[in-house]
Amino acid sequence: MNHVTSNDEQSTVRGRFPFSTLASGNSQQPGNAATGDIDGDEVKRERKTIGRTPAGAVFTVPQTHDMVSQLLSPSQPKNLSDFLVLAIHALHILASVLLPSSARRPVFAVVFLFWRLCYNGGIGYLLHMQSNHRWLVRWAEKSKIIVNPATSENPHPAVYKFIKRELETIIPDDYNFDDAPVEFNTWLVFRRLVDLILTCDFVSYCLFAIACAGRPADERVMMTLGRWLAGLSLIGFNLWVKLDAHRVVKDYAWYWGDFFFLIDQQLTFDGVFEMAPHPMYSVGYAGFYGISLLAASYSVLFISLLGHAAQFAFLCLVENPHIDKTYNTPPTRKRPSSPANEQMTFSDDEVMSDSVDILVPPPASSQQPASVHNLMGLRNIDLYRVTDISVLLLQFYMVIITFSSPSTPLFQALFILHAAWWRLWFSAGLGLILNAQSKRQSWTRHFVKYGDSREEAWRQWKGMYHLSLTMCYASFVAAAWKLYSFPDTWAYGLALLKHTLGAMLTALHIWTAVSIYESLGEFGWFFGDFFFCQAPKLTYSGIYRYLNNPERVIGMAGIWGAVLITGSTAIFFLALFSHIMTLSFIHFVERPHMEKLYGRDLRPEAGLVRSLKRSLPPPLKQWQGNVDKVLGEAVDFMEEFIDSARPKFAAGVGSLVKDTRTLFRQYPARITLTRLAPDLAGYNPKDYALEIEGTSSSGSRLSEQATRKEPDESKGTFKTLVFGYGMPIKVKWTAPLHHSKKDWVGLYRVADNASREVTKISSSGRWIATNKGVYDYEHAAQGCITSDVRISCSNFKGGEEKDSYSGDMVFEGDKLWWTQGVFEFRYHHDGKHNVMAISLPFEIRIEKFDEENIELDSNSSYKEAIEKAILPVVQHCLDRDPDIAPTTVDEAYGTLIERDGKFAKRIVYAVHQMFGIEFAPEVVQADGNVRNLAWRICNAKRVLQPYSMSRSRGRASPTTPRE
């Protein structure tokens, strides 16, 4: 598979990243040894790690020690929490001794699952909240437990003294509790919790394995020795992975330090990080399976698989999102002086033509095509696309034939031949097409001959490759099913182990395919560089950082998993044939094209190969070199043989093709439990009010007030306020002086709440707290402008004049409804859902594009009018963010729109409501600016409504006007 990507190598770091710290000052200069210009203290000071808090404060990060050394090494100072952790470990061991043998398995299974839940669920939740809301740091700041009691602000001086003594004990040098920033102190406290959970997780797992350990009754001595040798090897490998990973990432990344603060660092890829992605979570769990082998227990194996799966869920849901947000932020948009996306901008002459029903297509481009209507993935299935419907119908045919035909030897042989034919076509047939395309552009030339474009040739190739790929694997699965028979008993022999290993290999195959697609994208997956001439930058990201061709081994793991599950000789030879064909395709099709395209930029060895070679002893390195030489000579001989046989073979194929041509001409709202305040005494709803301020879409000034009941009757009838789509809405609230600091205002559809006393549905994040710093969620105060401004009010019902608090907030961005409708604001009491005030209803509306009353431009086109109408809407949809929102129709969108799909979804909804045309979000991302989007709208209007964009306004050709 082509491994060209557009990602920079350092922008795709996954898992706990490796790094090397930078010096805090200028680079160290060598001193004069005779005069001693630089003493030891200065060198040590220069090597300190520099940390930076989110607020920008710079501090020196003290040296910390790893978990095992801190707990078990006699040379490291110990504190009370260390002894507490060791005591809990001792209780686990004591329980394993005292419990009867029949109770050890279930008890320690539950204990391990509890600690694993604390690890992946508990720590995962804490880190998720810290990453998104600084939850742990805000808790420390709010509780003031780490504030010096001398300031009279700490309500818990005893807790402060205990924490300070504990932390300064384990870091005796270069650390002062009172001088360190709150982020660093919070991280140190969090580390103690991590030490407890991770060590108890491991201890309970080992005790469960001991409780389940045994030797099968009929196991031979050699099998026992092999099992123990393999198990100990896996455990030793696991130990090396953990030690090498800690050597590279240090304590900072080991304990998720970047969730709290950042350090000056350079990303490096060394040691185990060159061998596998996320090594501590992937190959770092090899010890689990080694212990399972030593225990010879399926119970230990399955609980190991469960724990490993939970760790991958932790990686995908917690670590990867944080790493993408922290290290892979989109670059700041550069505002070019020339129009953006020049190759996609078309002249007015290309936009409108009265003589045709569709617009003139843009000039053909040799650049990489925009990824708009992708083929891969369930989410991209489109039943209006002939490729998708063909694939689904063929899969349906495969299922019907497989389950309706008998499993006789004849049908089994037919299914094997069917699968072999599809593999031969997929690897050899498509390989020949790609080889001809690489050398002569044969595929593209065929479509150009009939007046089609390069893009059309590319689309047709993608459809054929996609259909061939799915049928290749569907036919293999069907053949495997035909030759599979359920075991008579799962407990006897290796039946259960074979099925487990087969399922694991299949999962590895699927993961590899997904990783390849994520690294290459649609363009690389379908061999786009065979069709489009460009000068790409060759980078190795994702899975290609570790393997040059993942399809060689792990990319075919699933077919060998089927061999294990079926235990069939025929499936074995089919899998062998499939693997050989895949290797041949890589060697004879992919590699020559890559060498021609990238030349010396191709690396000879991947990260995994380099790591393995470095670890080989000298005799093995010499033997490996001799083997490489022999294999190279054998490959050269095969290539010479094929080159000499190719003319004869091509002549026969040409004759066959000629004869054949002659023969064939032809979103619901989520219901939540209502939380009632235990006591509303002393709070009068008449003392609360909400007022909407802003400018309506018609331009009139808005300033309307409402209480929780209904509008003031003295005002008589009122007109519903109207706001444009995506416009910010300012709300002014008024509340009594003793109102709760945890009050909040939410935005709802009018029809969603039947009760005016209690809100019974979730706000889905569309709420703002009345006071800052009250909630632990960072987004709670986003939009809060002022709080608790004391004012004198006399406009309440009853006419009583009293002082009150007032505040302002602005709802914008994600706190708005990105749809049309009638909405209202609700003021809630004390963090609950009791309603104290409701605003007047207001409407969010998208004005229809009035085609009838718009003057045409000089080219008889609405294009300029559409550009003018759509530009402010696009700016609102992009939150008026200067980094992504354009200021002119030619200015490109910011790169964030490609990473966060919500912006494109907002724009296509607005276009649909304004013009009645439905686009996919990918279209907005591909267009790149407002001018191209307006061109596409004009094109779609003309295609869908003939002549509607012309002066006739009718659906038929203009006729001569009556006299």
Side-chain angles (χ1 to χ4, degrees), residues 265-294:
Q265 59 191 6
Q266 277 185 328
L267 300 180
T268 60
F269 299 91
D270 187 19
V272 70
F273 285 91
E274 285 187 321
M275 294 184 61
H278 320 294
M280 293 198 296
Y281 294 162
S282 54
V283 295
Y285 270 71
F288 267 31
Y289 304 105
I291 293 175
S292 300
L293 282 174
L294 297 182

Side-chain angles (χ1 to χ4, degrees), residues 277-324:
H278 320 294
M280 293 198 296
Y281 294 162
S282 54
V283 295
Y285 270 71
F288 267 31
Y289 304 105
I291 293 175
S292 300
L293 282 174
L294 297 182
S297 169
Y298 284 115
S299 299
V300 180
L301 175 61
F302 291 137
I303 207 169
S304 300
L305 289 172
L306 181 62
H308 203 172
Q311 195 65 30
F312 275 122
F314 174 85
L315 172 69
C316 296
L317 299 177
V318 179
E319 286 207 16
N320 279 347
H322 175 77
I323 291 171
D324 288 338

Side-chain angles (χ1 to χ4, degrees), residues 316-571:
C316 296
L317 299 177
V318 179
E319 286 207 16
N320 279 347
H322 175 77
I323 291 171
D324 288 338
K325 180 178 70 174
T326 305
Y327 301 102
N328 295 339
T329 54
T332 303
R333 179 180 56 176
K334 297 180 180 179
R335 299 181 180 272
S337 56
S338 59
N341 295 341
E342 185 175 342
Q343 74 278 8
M344 295 186 59
T345 303
F346 317 110
S347 66
D348 291 335
D349 292 336
E350 292 173 314
V351 173
M352 300 302 298
S353 176
D354 290 338
S355 61
V356 293
D357 286 341
I358 59 175
L359 302 184
V360 177
S365 172
S366 62
Q367 299 299 316
Q368 178 175 333
S371 181
V372 177
H373 204 184
N374 290 342
L375 274 174
M376 298 301 297
L378 296 176
R379 293 181 299 178
N380 292 320
I381 292 178
D382 185 353
L383 297 182
Y384 291 89
R385 187 164 49 189
V386 64
T387 300
D388 291 354
I389 198 66
S390 300
V391 167
L392 293 176
L393 288 175
L394 285 173
Q395 300 309 306
F396 178 73
Y397 131 79
M398 284 298 304
V399 172
I400 294 299
I401 297 297
T402 303
F403 285 97
S404 62
S405 60
S407 296
T408 60
L410 175 61
F411 277 92
Q412 290 176 344
L414 289 176
F415 272 85
I416 291 292
L417 292 175
H418 182 245
W421 159 251
W422 274 109
R423 173 58 67 175
L424 183 64
W425 162 251
F426 179 68
S427 298
L430 297 186
L432 289 173
I433 294 174
L434 280 178
N435 191 51
Q437 173 69 15
S438 174
K439 294 179 179 179
R440 300 180 297 275
Q441 294 286 298
S442 299
W443 183 271
T444 302
R445 288 177 181 274
H446 171 79
F447 287 90
V448 172
K449 180 175 67 175
Y450 292 99
D452 292 322
S453 64
R454 183 192 302 267
E455 286 73 18
E456 177 63 20
W458 163 245
R459 283 191 292 268
Q460 294 295 332
W461 160 257
K462 289 203 308 179
M464 186 172 69
Y465 182 86
H466 182 56
L467 187 146
S468 302
L469 173 65
T470 54
M471 285 304 299
C472 179
Y473 281 97
S475 60
F476 184 91
V477 172
W481 176 260
K482 275 298 177 185
L483 277 79
Y484 172 75
S485 59
F486 286 94
D488 297 330
T489 174
W490 292 91
Y492 178 77
L494 301 176
L496 185 57
L497 179 61
K498 289 181 178 179
H499 281 72
T500 303
L501 293 179
M504 293 173 65
L505 289 175
T506 304
L508 177 61
H509 189 133
I510 296 173
W511 173 83
T512 303
V514 172
S515 299
I516 290 173
Y517 183 78
E518 289 179 348
S519 297
L520 301 180
E522 194 95 353
F523 183 79
W525 179 269
F526 290 105
F527 305 93
D529 53 4
F530 281 74
F531 296 84
F532 293 91
C533 300
Q534 54 175 342
K537 178 184 178 182
L538 182 62
T539 60
Y540 296 90
S541 63
I543 192 173
Y544 287 96
R545 182 178 296 119
Y546 317 99
L547 300 169
N548 281 345
N549 292 104
E551 308 95 318
R552 286 182 181 271
V553 182
I554 61 176
M556 302 296 290
I559 64 174
W560 296 107
V563 172
L564 281 176
I565 293 174
T566 60
S568 169
T569 304
I571 296 298

Side-chain angles (χ1 to χ4, degrees), residues 51-60 62 130 133-148 153-154 160 163 167 175-191 257 259-262:
R52 299 178 186 275
T53 68
V58 179
F59 67 100
T60 300
Q130 171 63 23
H133 309 292
R134 299 183 63 247
W135 196 61
L136 293 175
V137 174
R138 291 172 68 88
W139 166 80
E141 293 173 340
K142 183 178 177 181
S143 62
K144 300 184 183 299
I145 60 173
I146 58 178
V147 176
N148 195 325
E153 296 180 1
N154 191 334
Y160 164 84
I163 296 177
L167 298 183
Y175 173 68
N176 186 288
F177 182 78
D178 294 323
D179 296 336
V182 62
E183 289 82 3
F184 184 76
N185 287 335
T186 305
W187 177 61
L188 291 181
V189 174
F190 172 74
R191 280 181 51 145
F259 282 73
F260 297 83
F261 59 93
L262 298 178

Side-chain angles (χ1 to χ4, degrees), residues 853-896:
N853 298 317
I854 297 296
E855 292 295 329
L856 302 180
D857 55 26
S858 57
N859 296 304
S860 298
S861 168
Y862 290 118
K863 183 169 171 287
E864 292 184 2
I866 292 176
E867 292 174 356
K868 185 177 180 181
I870 201 67
L871 177 60
V873 175
V874 170
Q875 291 172 339
H876 286 309
C877 290
L878 302 183
D879 295 339
R880 298 160 304 282
D881 186 343
D883 289 333
I884 58 176
T887 57
T888 65
V889 295
D890 291 316
E891 187 175 8
Y893 308 137
T895 55
L896 182 60

Side-chain angles (χ1 to χ4, degrees), residues 92 108 111-112 115 199-209:
H92 283 70
F108 280 103
V111 171
F112 169 71
W115 287 115
T199 54
C200 288
D201 173 82
F202 178 72
V203 169
S204 60
Y205 173 81
C206 292
L207 294 176
F208 173 74

